[in-house]
Amino acid sequence: QTTLARIANKNVRILQRLINQILDFRKYENGKLNLRLSEIDFNQAIRDWMEAFHAVARKHDIRLTLEKPKADRPLSVAIDTEKIERVFFNLVSNAFKYTPDNGSITVSYYSDDKNLTIKVADTGEGISERDLGNIFDRFYQVDRINPKGSGIGLALAKAFVELHDGKI
């Protein structure tokens, strides 16, 4: 495959992902986005999701750490796995976008009887107070001069979390 064909193929995948995000967001706005709950071992799921980021972490000398609960037993949760996976990928991808080389990203999670909490922390510059209230707005971009995304990822992540009766 030629270089131009590879670039075109990559751009088509990016556009397809963006279109799917916009369609999902519209479904959410119209009350047509449904949950497909299934019971999973969250410990295994998050380890699998983290695997996708190890290569980019090595490439940028970023220390990627998973802090898990002390108890080493399965953590059974009923979630829409596809949607929560997309939330996770969005949050961790954003952490990589804004973490400088040689920085660190820490993902942690814990569960009580009612809630599962996932945290993503990084050593990037953070979000200004001015932007913090807007980051979940559709198409909002912190950096308007050199945007690093479409501005829909966090809005969709918020929609998916709210479908689970959660907060982000």
Side-chain angles (χ1 to χ4, degrees):
Q1 198 176 31
T2 68
T3 302
L4 284 177
R6 275 197 307 277
I7 291 169
N9 195 12
K10 179 183 175 190
N11 288 339
V12 164
R13 283 195 313 273
I14 290 168
L15 283 172
Q16 189 173 28
R17 226 177 10 250
L18 180 58
I19 290 166
N20 287 336
Q21 287 179 336
I22 292 169
L23 290 173
D24 281 346
F25 196 79
R26 292 294 296 152
K27 284 181 194 171
Y28 173 75
E29 286 182 321
N30 293 316
K32 304 268 193 244
L33 193 60
N34 299 315
L35 286 178
R36 290 191 196 99
L37 296 177
S38 60
E39 201 161 309
I40 64 162
D41 175 9
F42 192 77
N43 293 325
Q44 184 60 51
I46 201 165
R47 280 194 304 267
D48 292 345
W49 299 340
M50 289 287 287
E51 275 298 311
F53 293 98
H54 288 304
V56 70
R58 280 190 299 275
K59 181 179 177 185
H60 294 281
D61 292 318
I62 292 175
R63 191 168 44 102
L64 179 61
T65 308
L66 176 63
E67 293 178 356
K68 55 187 182 212
K70 302 277 186 262
D72 201 23
R73 60 189 189 321
L75 176 55
S76 184
V77 295
I79 60 173
D80 185 321
T81 308
E82 180 188 326
K83 288 177 180 62
I84 296 302
E85 178 183 52
R86 285 172 67 183
V87 170
F88 179 85
F89 272 70
N90 182 273
L91 295 176
V92 176
S93 294
N94 282 344
F96 273 97
K97 282 182 202 173
Y98 297 102
T99 299
D101 289 2
N102 302 305
S104 67
I105 297 171
T106 303
V107 175
S108 59
Y109 67 101
Y110 59 91
S111 177
D112 59 24
D113 290 338
K114 293 197 289 192
N115 296 304
L116 171 66
T117 301
I118 305 166
K119 294 183 179 182
V120 179
D122 62 64
T123 56
E125 66 185 55
I127 302 165
S128 73
E129 287 292 322
R130 179 176 59 90
D131 290 319
L132 200 52
N134 300 314
I135 61 170
F136 295 106
D137 294 348
R138 213 174 6 162
F139 307 121
Y140 186 82
Q141 295 173 320
V142 171
D143 186 350
R144 289 168 247 347
I145 296 164
N146 296 305
K148 295 184 179 180
S150 65
I152 196 164
L154 284 174
L156 192 58
K158 183 176 189 241
F160 286 171
V161 169
E162 287 175 351
L163 274 174
H164 286 83
D165 293 324
K167 292 183 288 197
I168 186 167

